[in-house]
Amino acid sequence: MPEIGIIVGSDSDLPKIENCFNILEEFGVDFEIIISSAHRTPEKTKEWVSSAQEKGIKVIIAAAGGAAHLPGVAASHTTLPVIGIPVETKISGGLDSILSILQMPSGIPVATMPAGKAGGANAALLAISILSLVNNDYSEKLSRYRKKMAEKIFDRNAELSASGYKNYIKALKENK
Amino acid sequence: MPEIGIIVGSDSDLPKIENCFNILEEFGVDFEIIISSAHRTPEKTKEWVSSAQEKGIKVIIAAAGGAAHLPGVAASHTTLPVIGIPVETKISGGLDSILSILQMPSGIPVATMPAGKAGGANAALLAISILSLVNNDYSEKLSRYRKKMAEKIFDRNAELSASGYKNYIKALKENK
Amino acid sequence: MPEIGIIVGSDSDLPKIENCFNILEEFGVDFEIIISSAHRTPEKTKEWVSSAQEKGIKVIIAAAGGAAHLPGVAASHTTLPVIGIPVETKISGGLDSILSILQMPSGIPVATMPAGKAGGANAALLAISILSLVNNDYSEKLSRYRKKMAEKIFDRNAELSASGYKNYIKALKENK
Amino acid sequence: MPEIGIIVGSDSDLPKIENCFNILEEFGVDFEIIISSAHRTPEKTKEWVSSAQEKGIKVIIAAAGGAAHLPGVAASHTTLPVIGIPVETKISGGLDSILSILQMPSGIPVATMPAGKAGGANAALLAISILSLVNNDYSEKLSRYRKKMAEKIFDRNAELSASGYKNYIKALKENK
Amino acid sequence: MPEIGIIVGSDSDLPKIENCFNILEEFGVDFEIIISSAHRTPEKTKEWVSSAQEKGIKVIIAAAGGAAHLPGVAASHTTLPVIGIPVETKISGGLDSILSILQMPSGIPVATMPAGKAGGANAALLAISILSLVNNDYSEKLSRYRKKMAEKIFDRNAELSASGYKNYIKALKENK
Amino acid sequence: MPEIGIIVGSDSDLPKIENCFNILEEFGVDFEIIISSAHRTPEKTKEWVSSAQEKGIKVIIAAAGGAAHLPGVAASHTTLPVIGIPVETKISGGLDSILSILQMPSGIPVATMPAGKAGGANAALLAISILSLVNNDYSEKLSRYRKKMAEKIFDRNAELSASGYKNYIKALKENK
Amino acid sequence: MPEIGIIVGSDSDLPKIENCFNILEEFGVDFEIIISSAHRTPEKTKEWVSSAQEKGIKVIIAAAGGAAHLPGVAASHTTLPVIGIPVETKISGGLDSILSILQMPSGIPVATMPAGKAGGANAALLAISILSLVNNDYSEKLSRYRKKMAEKIFDRNAELSASGYKNYIKALKENK
Amino acid sequence: MPEIGIIVGSDSDLPKIENCFNILEEFGVDFEIIISSAHRTPEKTKEWVSSAQEKGIKVIIAAAGGAAHLPGVAASHTTLPVIGIPVETKISGGLDSILSILQMPSGIPVATMPAGKAGGANAALLAISILSLVNNDYSEKLSRYRKKMAEKIFDRNAELSASGYKNYIKALKENK
């Protein structure tokens, strides 16, 4: 039974938020993905969103770009927490997506994430931090995840000290 | 029987597009106004928009600000032409409203108007130019409207020549 | 006899709005294309636009980029509905084109479309929705077009369910 | 015992998010407010945020403007959900606040709210929707709140129909 | 016989470029002002611009705001130097006006001035520097104007030294 | 003897304004190019600019990017007309260059050109239109240049009519 | 003997950076103020800046708005640290000033401060932190200044706790 | 013993500010580099920054992108001068990084550098100009560095004169 429901406006958005799926899986969170547009399939969007809560879904994640109405439209059909991911576009790198998701009117909140790669990852992590309220297991996993992130940085510092910045940068460039 | 249906997300938008109503009235166009939010009353919005065509409505005008989803959401429920008016905000004077209305995905068009006062007027005039396709009377009225606009400018030029620019500017400032 | 007249400021804009032509053709709409600049060939632009209505043209579509005056200049010579397509540029992905087309003064409306690929498609679809007022055939085709768009999304969902998101994303990436 | 912890970077931000406090109170949510800057009192900020969870706080709300680091800094000291409210500024109405809060790196999520008045209200409502996971009472209150918002719009429509748009707008202007 | 022709899109622009007129007068330059819109009176605009050269006009100054097409449209009808003044708007203080005037296509130059008050003054001064090519008198006046500007700054420094910055600022505030 | 002086802040700007040189050459205008930075070689910049007039230079063209001070700094050392070309950057495609050149204070005008390729071409053409005041030959060449631009568009229309839009677009794509 | 030299492009900038003077005075730093424009008095600007070091000045602070060249021009005439303060304008609240000061080319650094009120204060504090390298007294005063800022926040928290947020906000509003 | 401490939020930022390291080395400045994130390793960041002064570090350089809190967070833990380098992003080329670093509140200054390549170089040069206050050797090296930059430009001018602009541009293009 999925705890998280993920809705994207177009299947081309799926690879852009792949790290969202990867993190949820890494944490052992059950999730469901649906492709449904706010504008092309408004009925399906409404049905899926409004039935999410009774299916056991606790948090909804919606990704969209341009006039990115999907997160806001999802939020209009549920009182579950809705997390919005702005997909990058050519308009200043996604300023249209950002403002369309962020500037919701008073009364219907959408938790907006950063544009680009960090958006998918942080949507997953915010959803997990919300689920942590009812599942202490997630809370502990989150703490461990943070520790691992820190350790990775400590390791890199050790490596940087050991090899010197010139070799380190050279290695970075070669691995690109 | 209304030919034009106007939907605003909040009653506070009504005074901002007052010139829309004034122009429609001046042209003798029958219109209907409804307050319905894309997010707070999605059901009512859908019902009103999807039944518009059978009520005889030929063009829909939707005004909204911020994450201005209303025009796009309206367009998702009808194949009638939908005209969107971006209401001014503090974000660069309404850049959020503009991009939320303008950057619609392929398949669901919204005819976006300028932000601010010109938005209401031009929404009315575009709607009338569309109605002109089935009502020659409107077409003639539009031509006369254009002529009147031009004549007003000619009159002002005459006045400017007669009084000189100093007196003209002085008078403008006093009437402000 | 063309029902739609399309004007572009430069022939390099033609490939950028190719989907506009494709959709009009798919709907069986007769259209005429002209290359004429607002600035380099103002006379030709004026002549073509002002004689459009008597040639039977019912909607004008104009595409331009940068200081994209063409749609507004076209609108100054006709009372037919004018649809403007902002061509993408390097200034924030086309913010100059968008604002030059969108921010028309009160009295001379231009129906502005999104920048980029969606612009061409939606210009065609808005024009067809306007023509639907006098041609019920188009109205039915529009409804079918919407249904087909929705079905495509349903099919993709079925595929996503069947293959799982990992395989689906993998396939997407390989087809790119 | 507070369920929500609210942190603002400067006491001048308090009146700007007053509706946040009002809504929490209206829903009967216990909350704690602290003034602590990310930059001027980093130690206090860290202490308060890192001890929040053991005090029973379940969601943190942080408001800040300009280089609005407070929500992100708070998120760096806890795995609780952190909601960020961008305070309006002169830079495009708060684009600096928005981007400083929104564009968090992968790993440390902040749920960003709209700039301006809606930010405070939606932060409260998102926090309550998160608390609803563990308190069904809040969930029901949220549904009632949504219904009340919708009814208010229905009432305004009735009033608009009854009085006509001219009188309605006149009344709106007089009450301003 | 006017040496400079000034065209504004709306008479409300006249007070905004008043310093343009004042400077031209101060330099003893003969000029002609016309109100004519690119969109509302395209014919008059064309006639006036295209006959400017044979009337002896040597430089054209055009001011407009929003989708500020007037300078570009003027430039399309003449090979005289055209100077454009972007009138301030609510969109980022006039970014729409700036980009609509500035981003002209290759082939039709417009010399764009700053938005706001400096725009009117600098349009006059640029026009005079152009006229200086054929009138040495203007060239000398320009040099004197520059000297006067510098002297004004030297005087203020003297005053600042004499009174101290506290009294100087106090006096500035009182005179506001 | 050069009539036009061109100054660039860095030799890497030279290829970016190559069409400026080409057009000047095509019109038979004598010009001089110097590489001198507003910040790295302020003395040389000042010397070259302030001695330009006595060398017979009548118009100065300055190109720079980023904090593009060169055109404004040039204008501070001469009363000759100064034309500024904003070089494209990563900040919104050159918004930093545009605003740094455009927003000059009252008293010191810079004639700002579009960012990108059109900037170089239009700087040359504006300079030539200014020189036309003292050289009727240039004026006639400018008219012929305009006519040639128009004819090129007419030719393309003929080609488009003859081959049909599909073949025309196909050919365009192949030649890219 | 002044340790800090402050240069503003216009005397109208003086009140906008008043807190800069106040803080320097509070710390007992000797400073000198000059009004000199990058464009209107380039010679005086150059003289003052290039003789600053031998007069004992250790840091230069320059404030300007719009095409804010003054800090960069100052930096071109000295190797002393130059701090730039962007004065607020109508273009997005000062984005033109910010980018003109910030986007300096490689080789000539300017330490850019925030736009608006914080700019003046932080310029003073950064200058003092630089002077602290040679004057331990300033270093201690800086630490005390930071402590005082923190204590002010602690005091406000105490007040907020004591009076409750409603009374606190009420008091804030009344004192405005 | 390091005089300069450099902190980056992610090791991927190291190659982006490589010229910072190169210039410091060229000037013979001893420096230390650490990778530590404001959000992922807030403790390490705090420890390293707050112990910098007693280790003899005199200036801190911090580079970060997106919600680039690192320079501001560093500044909150020290009274040493802090220089911030905005790393380029997709949001208008780094406008998010710029504003997050620049718009610091009153009291905690960060000396902001340009986005992109110039940022690293200018951070090094500003740091060296600060160190020059206590080390006259650096001051002389800075003057020589400036002279070398100027001479490089003079050499290029000589080359340009010798080869002509066509050959010069051709050579530039070939070397790219």
Side-chain angles (χ1 to χ4, degrees), chain E residues 3-4 29 58-59 127-135 138, chain F residues 133:
Chain E
E3 290 177 294
I4 309 267
V29 181
K58 292 187 184 63
V59 179
I128 292 165
S129 84
I130 293 173
L131 293 180
S132 296
L133 258 69
V134 286
N135 186 334
Y138 290 147
Chain F
L133 257 68

Side-chain angles (χ1 to χ4, degrees), chain H residues 1-126:
Chain H
M1 212 185 62
E3 291 176 293
I4 309 268
I6 301 169
I7 184 166
V8 297
S10 154
D11 69 341
S12 64
D13 296 337
L14 290 172
K16 292 173 190 159
I17 59 164
E18 205 178 356
N19 50 359
C20 178
F21 311 142
N22 296 342
I23 288 178
L24 290 175
E25 213 171 72
E26 185 186 337
F27 275 79
V29 181
D30 219 357
F31 59 97
E32 178 183 319
I33 311 175
I34 188 177
I35 308 162
S36 187
S37 160
H39 304 111
R40 293 176 196 165
T41 53
E43 283 312 299
K44 185 168 190 71
T45 298
K46 188 197 139 188
E47 276 167 45
W48 182 83
V49 172
S50 31
S51 64
Q53 192 161 11
E54 59 198 38
K55 282 195 294 186
I57 285 176
K58 292 187 184 65
V59 179
I60 286 173
I61 294 174
H69 297 183
L70 191 60
V73 164
S76 77
H77 295 305
T78 186
T79 57
L80 288 177
V82 174
I83 301 173
I85 309 175
V87 170
E88 289 175 355
T89 67
K90 293 189 180 165
I91 302 292
S92 300
L95 199 62
D96 48 357
S97 316
I98 288 174
L99 295 174
S100 294
I101 294 178
L102 185 78
Q103 290 294 89
M104 286 295 288
S106 190
I108 313 288
V110 169
T112 311
M113 294 292 104
K117 270 199 162 177
N122 284 4
L125 292 166
L126 177 63

Side-chain angles (χ1 to χ4, degrees), chain A residues 59-60 71-72 75 79-86 97-114 126 130, chain B residues 66-67 91 96, chain D residues 4-7 16-17 19-21 23-24 59-66 68 70-72 81-89 93-104 109-130 142 146:
Chain A
V59 178
I60 286 173
T79 56
L80 288 176
V82 173
I83 301 173
I85 309 175
S97 315
I98 287 174
L99 294 174
S100 295
I101 293 178
L102 186 78
Q103 290 294 88
M104 287 293 290
S106 189
I108 313 288
V110 168
T112 311
M113 295 292 104
L126 177 64
I130 292 172
Chain B
I91 302 293
D96 49 356
Chain D
I4 309 266
I6 301 169
I7 184 166
K16 291 173 191 159
I17 60 164
N19 51 358
C20 178
F21 311 142
I23 288 178
L24 290 176
V59 179
I60 286 174
I61 294 172
L70 191 59
V82 174
I83 302 173
I85 309 175
V87 169
E88 291 176 352
T89 68
L95 199 63
D96 48 357
S97 317
I98 287 174
L99 295 174
S100 294
I101 295 178
L102 186 78
Q103 290 293 90
M104 287 293 290
V110 169
T112 312
M113 294 294 104
K117 269 199 161 174
N122 284 5
L125 292 166
L126 177 63
I128 292 166
S129 84
I130 293 173
L142 263 185
R146 291 257 174 130

Side-chain angles (χ1 to χ4, degrees), chain G residues 51-68:
Chain G
S51 64
Q53 192 161 10
E54 60 199 36
K55 282 195 294 186
I57 285 176
K58 293 188 183 63
V59 179
I60 286 173
I61 294 173

Side-chain angles (χ1 to χ4, degrees), chain B residues 133-151:
Chain B
L133 258 69
V134 287
N135 186 332
N136 201 43
D137 192 36
Y138 290 147
S139 182
E140 277 165 32
K141 281 181 181 170
L142 264 185
S143 300
R144 254 175 287 147
Y145 186 85
R146 291 258 174 128
K147 248 174 238 151
K148 253 176 34 191
M149 284 200 304
E151 273 155 22

Side-chain angles (χ1 to χ4, degrees), chain B residues 7-17 21 33-37 40 63, chain D residues 152-153 155-157 159-160 165 168-169 171-173 175-176:
Chain B
I7 184 166
V8 296
S10 155
D11 68 342
S12 64
D13 296 337
L14 290 172
K16 292 172 191 159
I17 60 164
F21 311 142
I33 311 175
I34 189 177
I35 308 162
S36 187
S37 159
R40 295 177 195 163
Chain D
K152 217 155 124 189
I153 290 177
D155 291 352
R156 282 175 183 162
N157 266 310
E159 216 183 313
L160 174 64
Y165 76 89
Y168 193 94
I169 290 177
L172 269 182
K173 286 182 177 170
N175 292 336
K176 237 189 187 161

Side-chain angles (χ1 to χ4, degrees), chain D:
Chain D
M1 211 184 64
E3 291 177 292
I4 309 266
I6 301 169
I7 184 166
V8 297
S10 155
D11 68 341
S12 64
D13 295 338
L14 290 172
K16 291 173 191 159
I17 60 164
E18 204 179 356
N19 51 358
C20 178
F21 311 142
N22 296 342
I23 288 178
L24 290 176
E25 211 170 74
E26 185 186 337
F27 276 79
V29 182
D30 221 356
F31 60 96
E32 180 183 318
I33 311 175
I34 189 177
I35 307 163
S36 186
S37 160
H39 305 112
R40 295 177 196 163
T41 53
E43 283 312 300
K44 183 165 191 75
T45 298
K46 186 197 140 189
E47 275 167 46
W48 182 82
V49 172
S50 33
S51 64
Q53 191 161 11
E54 59 198 36
K55 281 196 294 186
I57 285 175
K58 292 186 183 66
V59 179
I60 286 174
I61 294 172
H69 298 183
L70 191 59
V73 164
S76 77
H77 294 306
T78 185
T79 57
L80 288 177
V82 174
I83 302 173
I85 309 175
V87 169
E88 291 176 352
T89 68
K90 291 188 181 168
I91 301 293
S92 300
L95 199 63
D96 48 357
S97 317
I98 287 174
L99 295 174
S100 294
I101 295 178
L102 186 78
Q103 290 293 90
M104 287 293 290
S106 190
I108 313 288
V110 169
T112 312
M113 294 294 104
K117 269 199 161 174
N122 284 5
L125 292 166
L126 177 63
I128 292 166
S129 84
I130 293 173
L131 294 180
S132 295
L133 257 68
V134 286
N135 186 333
N136 201 42
D137 192 35
Y138 290 147
S139 181
E140 276 164 32
K141 280 181 181 168
L142 263 185
S143 300
R144 254 176 285 146
Y145 186 84
R146 291 257 174 130
K147 247 174 237 150
K148 254 180 30 197
M149 284 199 305
E151 273 153 22
K152 217 155 124 189
I153 290 177
F154 300 152
D155 291 352
R156 282 175 183 162
N157 266 310
E159 216 183 313
L160 174 64
S161 287
S163 63
Y165 76 89
K166 283 184 191 169
N167 290 322
Y168 193 94
I169 290 177
K170 211 179 133 196
L172 269 182
K173 286 182 177 170
E174 283 165 7
N175 292 336
K176 237 189 187 161

